[in-house]
Amino acid sequence: MARNKEYDENEVLRKAMELFWKQGYEKTSMQDLVTHMGIHRRSIYDTFGDKHTLFMKALEQYAEIIETKIETQVKSQGSVKQAIRRLFEMVIPKNEQQPIGCLTVNSAVELSLQDEEAAEKVAESFDRTENLLYELLLHGQKSGEISDQHDMKKLSQFFHNSLVGLRVLTKTTDDKQKLESIIDLTLSVLD
């Protein structure tokens, strides 16, 4: 008879995600995962597979969390400019317990050149964000909130690049005023 799991799969996966986010893939050992997740090594292998498979599942969970935040915090904004501002503000850490930066961007920097599966996940995430920006900008253009003199595809690429840059910058500074000023200047393109 199989034993019932004595842990919540989503909760321990969240713990693994947080550890990968904080330390990166290469610096996180299986022992680190055992300790941080609070489950046995055998349970990790039985439930999630090897370290790489666990990491891929952690990236998927991270993408789902971000998607939920976008649905509740970005798409609910009254104006397109406010929605885009909110997307950028989500990048700024709210407290010291939150890991620094973005797991997707961290993974892009650490693994994209050597791990095809991670590179694909990163590319999918980047495409979703760029498409979101494109849809928001197009909606803003159609509603008259954003000038029709802009090429929305190029503008969405510019905003996505700026957003990725901001995600990297949050790893090097906790100067929230600096980060807000960067957001202000980036969004001034829409004025």
Side-chain angles (χ1 to χ4, degrees):
M1 183 167 127
R3 286 183 57 190
N4 287 334
K5 291 181 182 170
E6 297 172 1
Y7 56 88
D8 179 320
E9 238 178 86
N10 286 323
E11 180 62 23
V12 295
L13 180 57
R14 182 192 58 75
K15 288 179 179 181
M17 178 195 73
E18 289 171 352
L19 189 61
F20 284 128
W21 190 356
K22 182 179 177 184
Q23 295 185 177
Y25 177 77
E26 293 294 335
K27 287 190 177 179
T28 301
S29 69
M30 280 305 290
Q31 186 56 51
D32 292 337
L33 289 163
V34 167
T35 302
H36 193 75
M37 294 168 74
I39 62 175
H40 297 286
R41 185 180 302 256
R42 181 84 253 151
S43 295
I44 293 174
Y45 286 117
D46 289 346
T47 305
F48 302 105
D50 62 11
K51 177 182 158 183
H52 188 266
T53 305
L54 175 60
F55 180 72
M56 291 297 110
K57 289 179 181 182
L59 271 178
E60 288 170 11
Q61 186 181 58
Y62 181 79
E64 290 169 9
I65 290 168
I66 296 303
E67 194 61 38
T68 300
K69 283 185 174 183
I70 287 170
E71 285 296 324
T72 59
Q73 297 179 29
V74 175
K75 291 183 177 179
S76 63
Q77 296 296 316
S79 79
V80 169
K81 289 179 182 177
Q82 273 307 114
I84 294 171
R85 175 174 293 283
R86 185 65 198 117
L87 182 63
F88 274 76
E89 289 172 344
M90 282 174 42
V91 172
I92 300 173
K94 303 297 180 252
N95 59 58
E96 292 182 16
Q97 284 75 37
Q98 181 179 344
I100 297 173
C102 164
L103 179 59
T104 305
V105 172
N106 295 353
S107 300
V109 172
E110 180 184 11
L111 298 173
S112 283
L113 296 178
Q114 61 198 30
D115 185 328
E116 190 175 316
E117 190 177 358
E120 285 177 25
K121 289 267 185 236
V122 167
E124 289 169 10
S125 176
F126 283 3
D127 286 345
R128 278 193 306 274
T129 304
E130 195 172 299
N131 287 333
L132 168 68
L133 286 161
Y134 178 72
E135 290 169 14
L136 288 169
L137 290 164
L138 202 57
H139 178 73
Q141 191 178 48
K142 288 178 182 175
S143 71
E145 187 180 348
I146 296 173
S147 168
D148 61 1
Q149 72 185 32
H150 297 291
D151 177 318
M152 292 301 114
K153 194 65 177 164
K154 289 179 183 174
L155 197 55
S156 65
Q157 292 167 352
F158 165 75
F159 277 122
H160 182 253
N161 184 65
S162 299
L163 184 60
V164 170
L166 190 67
R167 288 170 168 169
V168 172
L169 192 58
T170 61
K171 292 184 71 71
T172 65
T173 184
D174 60 357
D175 184 343
K176 291 188 184 349
Q177 190 172 28
K178 177 181 181 177
L179 298 171
E180 290 287 346
S181 293
I182 291 168
I183 293 171
D184 291 340
L185 186 58
T186 302
L187 297 180
S188 72
V189 169
L190 296 175
D191 294 337

